[in-house]
Amino acid sequence: MFQRLAMMLSASGVSRRRRSSDRQGGSAPGAAASSADSSESVAPCEPQLQSLTCGREEGDLVLKEAAGCIGDLREMAKTATREAMGEMEQLAEEIKQLFVANGGSLQPRQTEDRLRLNVGGTVMSIPVSALLHPKMKQTYLSTLLLHFSDQLPKDANQLPFLEMHPAYFRWLRDQLALLESPHLDEISLHSPEADDPSYAEYHSLFMRTLGGAIEIGNQPQSTGTAAEGGGEGGAKRGFRQMEQCMRRYEGLLEGLRKQKEKMEAFLVAMRPFVKGDSSDEDTEVMTLSVSDEDVSVLRRTIALCGPDHVLVKRFDRTQWPDQEVRQTSLRFLQLVVDFGRRLSVMPAGRFVHPPVVAAHEKEMFAVELGMYGLNTMPPVGEAAGASAVIKTADEWLAVMAMTDKKIAVAPSLLYKSSRDTFAYPSFLNKVTGKSGLLLALRDGDTHRFGCFIDGQIRPPDDFRQANYYDVPVFFYSLSGAYETPTKIEVPEEKQQMEVAGTQGVAKANNMDWSANVCIAGGQLWLGWAQPGPAADLSRCQQWTAKKGVPDGYKGTTVNEEGAGTLASRLNFTCSEMEVWQMGSG
């Protein structure tokens, strides 16, 4: 900004020198025009500077130019100050309107000691002082409850309804009580709650913050007097401080813009929890009861399951008049409903995990999920139905857990041999440059397996060559070699890939064979042949050294050293090959 100001001042000086030259030219019309230009464009300056003289004509011309320059500087400072105020006023009004236009209050709710809510069917209260705690008041939850409580849907008793798992809210309320005591400094999620998505997914959403305080910094110091080092040095010091002040203003303006962006993000994330433009019918609180205790959800929340979905019908009195649920536990029903809730209210693109129950309850709970139609709505989106290799939601979840990553979006299908053919150019066209690749292979009807490449498939620049590079990789088996989903680690020195160009080969070092793609130092070959490569990718080879085979292996031993394979045999013809992209965040 300081450089721009210097350029403006410089341009002003050039303009004056031109006008001065016109005046010295002497013709009457030119002189009149020059005089008019001068009177309009030369800003007023200090009288002392106007009357200064150094006794030499050339020096007096410099003083006059300096007078005009300082006058311009004064006017520019006024204009910049005016525009800066306008920018700040506009941003402040825009942020204010984000509250007002969405039904929020500018000041936090402080008119009562406790806020009483219906949380997923359970009536609870929370101290307002806890929501105003310095480590809490900037969170999404506090902002929602303190500024937008009037925009929450209402239950039959006109209590604000919060679309949330009651057990998480109760846990958080207890943590807030401890936060107000000397016992706790931060609210953090630990096991077992951290391993339970009915806690963890709400926590990661509602404990986000709107940004906190902006870095304010210090005001530039006064330039001082001439006696303190004035003259040219003092002016330079003043200009440096002006530059610091302008940079500081730009930083503050950017900080305010970020506050607006954070507020916009908050409103988007909280849209499923407030009334918004929804009708009273859409925001009706639907309720089932178990032994006189309620489990509630908004009509619009479960409506996303579809009008014919069994969970939607179960809450609809016109289709199922009996609203008492029998032969199940309150906790099971809360978990079932909360799974449907999270599938609807969690931000778009976020991976929604199924409910967690104890090992001895899994079989029982699977029946409950099936009864309410949620075992057919896996949190992996359409992947389970679209894959010919990874067939169930449980298998998808098992493979996702093996990646040790937080999956942020449902897997997306990049390549499928039955759709895109086994031709190598088609494969490269679909997967090149993509990261986080899950390869899924099927060998007949019995063996399903694959590998996860935590990186990209990168062919060489020269299509006649091959590209060799390091990349993290592991294998997994779903059926055939193991009875349950199993992860097979790859030694660090084997975490490599070799990818051939369309007319190149990935060649074995000590064997007379080659392929289009070599994964994990030769543990998986795509398009394998001897000498190779094969006509397409369906001809494959897969093996794993004996020391890398986990316990429980039921497959075939392929050599005297005891190496195994995840396929039916060492060299096999792939029935189906898929490549899925796994997003994380």
Side-chain angles (χ1 to χ4, degrees):
M1 186 179 284
F2 181 67
Q3 292 175 335
R4 294 199 299 271
L5 180 58
M7 291 172 64
M8 293 167 68
L9 293 175
S10 174
S12 173
V14 170
S15 174
R16 278 192 183 74
R17 284 192 292 274
R18 287 176 179 167
R19 286 196 293 271
S20 177
S21 175
D22 290 341
R23 284 194 295 271
Q24 293 172 359
S27 66
S34 176
S35 176
D37 287 346
S38 177
S39 64
E40 291 176 2
S41 60
V42 177
C45 62
E46 294 293 338
Q48 305 95 301
L49 194 58
Q50 288 272 28
S51 60
L52 279 180
T53 178
C54 65
R56 292 189 55 78
E57 184 177 357
E58 294 83 353
D60 289 347
L61 288 173
V62 171
L63 288 171
K64 289 184 180 297
E65 288 294 327
C69 182
I70 293 172
D72 284 346
L73 181 62
R74 180 188 294 110
E75 291 304 312
M76 290 176 188
K78 290 179 181 178
T79 300
T81 301
R82 191 164 54 247
E83 291 179 353
M85 286 294 296
E87 287 177 327
M88 286 291 181
E89 288 173 356
Q90 180 179 345
L91 264 177
E93 183 60 28
E94 289 172 356
I95 294 174
K96 188 185 299 182
Q97 283 303 310
L98 289 175
F99 278 91
V100 176
N102 289 281
S105 60
L106 295 176
Q107 296 301 318
R109 180 177 187 146
Q110 294 177 298
T111 57
E112 51 198 88
D113 293 334
R114 303 185 70 85
L115 183 60
R116 199 159 175 259
L117 302 163
N118 181 337
V119 184
T122 303
V123 175
M124 289 182 268
S125 64
I126 187 170
V128 171
S129 61
L131 297 173
L132 287 168
H133 190 281
K135 292 185 178 179
M136 187 66 190
K137 67 179 181 180
Q138 290 290 335
T139 64
Y140 276 21
L141 181 62
S142 283
T143 305
L144 177 69
L145 297 182
L146 293 173
H147 295 272
F148 292 89
S149 60
D150 290 339
Q151 288 302 304
L152 293 175
K154 300 293 193 300
D155 68 5
N157 296 316
Q158 294 305 301
L159 284 176
F161 180 79
L162 183 58
E163 192 75 281
M164 182 186 284
H165 188 49
Y168 169 70
F169 189 86
R170 185 178 291 109
W171 172 88
L172 181 60
R173 184 185 60 181
D174 290 345
Q175 295 297 299
L176 288 174
L178 293 173
L179 189 65
E180 291 186 297
S181 75
H183 305 299
L184 196 68
D185 292 327
E186 298 286 346
I187 296 180
S188 300
L189 207 60
H190 302 283
S191 292
E193 291 83 11
D195 303 319
D196 187 339
S198 292
Y199 288 75
E201 291 181 10
Y202 289 108
H203 193 75
S204 65
L205 174 62
F206 281 102
M207 294 303 287
R208 289 184 192 174
T209 65
L210 273 76
I214 301 173
E215 184 64 35
I216 300 300
N218 298 316
Q219 287 280 5
Q221 297 299 311
S222 170
T223 57
T225 63
E228 295 170 336
E232 184 179 14
K236 284 186 176 180
R237 183 166 60 251
F239 281 125
R240 281 197 302 271
Q241 291 173 336
M242 287 174 63
E243 181 182 10
Q244 292 170 4
C245 189
M246 287 184 282
R247 287 177 178 172
R248 178 168 165 267
Y249 166 75
E250 287 180 335
L252 294 170
L253 186 66
E254 181 60 25
L256 204 56
R257 288 194 183 109
K258 288 181 179 178
Q259 289 287 303
K260 179 187 174 186
E261 291 171 2
K262 288 178 181 294
M263 189 63 195
E264 290 170 336
F266 162 82
L267 291 170
V268 170
M270 294 296 103
R271 193 172 294 153
F273 302 93
V274 297
K275 291 182 293 187
D277 297 329
S278 297
S279 65
D280 290 341
E281 181 181 4
D282 287 340
T283 56
E284 179 187 358
V285 177
M286 314 285 285
T287 299
L288 298 174
S289 61
V290 180
S291 301
D292 297 326
E293 295 194 59
D294 291 341
V295 178
S296 301
V297 66
L298 294 178
R299 180 187 292 274
R300 72 177 181 197
T301 297
I302 57 170
L304 293 178
C305 296
D308 297 325
H309 194 273
V310 64
L311 187 64
V312 175
K313 291 181 178 180
R314 186 63 183 88
F315 271 96
D316 190 341
R317 289 179 179 272
T318 64
Q319 299 193 53
W320 203 311
D322 184 5
Q323 298 295 288
E324 176 75 18
V325 177
R326 299 170 180 84
Q327 298 182 352
T328 192
S329 70
L330 174 67
R331 183 170 62 87
F332 272 16
L333 183 61
Q334 286 178 330
L335 288 174
V336 168
V337 172
D338 188 60
F339 186 27
R341 173 188 292 124
R342 287 185 287 112
L343 286 168
S344 174
V345 303
M346 287 297 150
R350 175 176 291 191
F351 179 70
V352 176
H353 295 75
V356 170
V357 296
H360 70 278
E361 297 177 318
K362 285 187 176 181
E363 187 174 347
M364 290 185 292
F365 189 67
V367 173
E368 295 290 316
L369 279 178
M371 185 170 63
Y372 288 103
L374 286 174
N375 61 342
T376 60
M377 294 182 62
V380 296
E382 299 178 355
S387 177
V389 183
I390 311 175
K391 295 183 177 180
T392 68
D394 285 343
E395 288 182 344
W396 273 107
L397 291 169
V399 174
M400 289 175 176
M402 294 176 194
T403 67
D404 292 328
K405 294 181 179 293
K406 177 183 177 183
I407 307 299
V409 295
S412 58
L413 182 62
L414 301 178
Y415 165 83
K416 187 169 187 171
S417 59
S418 58
R419 180 192 69 187
D420 304 312
T421 78
F422 277 110
Y424 186 47
S426 175
F427 173 86
L428 287 181
N429 183 55
K430 298 292 185 180
V431 304
T432 296
K434 304 295 195 306
S435 294
L437 301 178
L438 186 76
L439 273 68
L441 291 81
R442 180 165 57 84
D443 176 13
D445 296 327
T446 55
H447 290 69
R448 296 177 294 123
F449 62 95
C451 66
F452 177 68
I453 302 168
D454 195 6
Q456 298 182 355
I457 290 180
R458 306 199 312 258
D461 294 334
D462 186 341
F463 63 91
R464 295 164 297 185
Q465 301 296 321
N467 187 22
Y468 183 86
Y469 55 97
D470 295 334
V471 63
V473 61
F474 69 81
F475 288 93
Y476 65 90
S477 172
L478 298 175
S479 68
Y482 289 88
E483 292 182 353
T484 58
T486 302
K487 182 177 182 179
I488 298 93
E489 300 283 4
V490 173
E492 186 175 356
E493 67 273 13
K494 295 291 186 181
Q495 296 194 13
Q496 305 154 338
M497 284 192 67
E498 189 172 7
V499 179
T502 53
Q503 295 184 24
V505 294
K507 186 171 176 56
N509 293 329
N510 54 356
M511 298 289 182
D512 184 24
W513 66 60
S514 58
N516 299 117
V517 180
C518 173
I519 300 172
Q523 293 190 26
L524 176 61
W525 298 79
L526 308 180
W528 175 92
Q530 195 171 7
D536 61 39
L537 292 176
S538 64
R539 292 292 295 159
C540 301
Q541 182 186 97
Q542 198 285 321
W543 62 274
T544 302
K546 181 179 180 180
K547 64 180 180 180
V549 176
D551 293 340
Y553 180 67
K554 305 294 184 182
T556 304
T557 300
V558 298
N559 63 14
E560 295 178 355
E561 286 76 29
T565 178
L566 303 179
S568 60
R569 55 188 182 276
L570 176 64
N571 304 323
F572 67 98
T573 299
C574 184
S575 308
E576 182 73 273
M577 184 183 299
E578 300 169 352
V579 181
W580 295 81
Q581 185 171 29
M582 310 286 280
S584 63

